[in-house]
Amino acid sequence: DPCRNFHCKRGKVCHADEEGKPSCICQDPAACPSTKGYEHVCGTDNKTYDGTCQLFGTKCQLEGTKRGRQLHLDYMGSCKHIPHCTNYEVDQFPLRMRDWLKNILMQYYEHDLDTSGFLTKRQRIKVKKIYQNDKRLVAGDHAVELLLHDFEKNYHMYVYPVHWQFHQLDQHPVDRLLTHSELAPLRASLVPMEHCITRFFQECDGDEDKLIALKEWCHCFGIKE
């Protein structure tokens, strides 16, 4: 099979011609496998797609057009009304996001106490220091004032979680810059719950080059140089 080890980017599939030469062609959205309702996704055109296969296949067929350039995965789930993000809400967003990232690492560390797998040895050493800090907040909903006080008092506990998330996303390629595609896995899963995340990432891009550098990312989360 000439297509066995032939890689195509999302939205395209391998096709072998009469001579057996493989090439990438656009995925036919109608030929995508059927999905369950919970696998639906919302595109930036505010249209619900049956899944990512259908979304990226559609984007590929629109390649070279304005609509194709503007079409991306917006968030997981069917399209719905996303409330407007106020200035006050976007200012408070880093507080909740920092706390959430810290708590994810806490959960990974606790899981790895029984069976390793989530964190590398080096990561566990870093997270252990945070985990053993008896001043850390228990996971849950906290008042903005408490989150701000904890950030100011235990600043060092929040630096690594912010760096860790950046490097988790910075994969294609690893260049200390986050593209729209690299941000998508985090953004798309959080939009339905955190309606300010889109505006937050837009404002993180201080020089408006459609890339978020590590320095811009840290600045957004209040991490000093």
Side-chain angles (χ1 to χ4, degrees), residues 102 106 110 130-131 133-138 150 157:
K102 177 169 66 71
M106 295 300 99
E110 287 181 338
I130 304 172
Y131 188 84
N133 189 321
D134 60 1
K135 298 183 181 64
R136 69 186 181 90
L137 297 179
V138 177
D150 193 60
M157 286 172 36

Side-chain angles (χ1 to χ4, degrees), residues 39-94:
E39 294 177 289
H40 289 177
V41 296
C42 184
T44 46
D45 56 355
N46 202 34
K47 177 182 175 183
T48 298
Y49 293 84
D50 284 345
T52 53
C53 172
Q54 191 182 86
L55 169 65
F56 288 106
T58 301
K59 178 177 174 64
C60 181
Q61 291 188 333
L62 294 170
E63 199 167 346
T65 67
K66 182 179 178 180
R67 188 183 163 207
R69 287 192 298 271
Q70 293 178 340
L71 179 58
H72 298 285
L73 170 65
D74 198 4
Y75 54 88
M76 311 305 288
S78 300
C79 294
K80 63 178 186 178
H81 172 68
I82 303 294
H84 172 71
C85 177
T86 66
N87 291 339
Y88 174 79
E89 287 174 321
V90 81
D91 286 345
Q92 307 309 318
F93 183 82

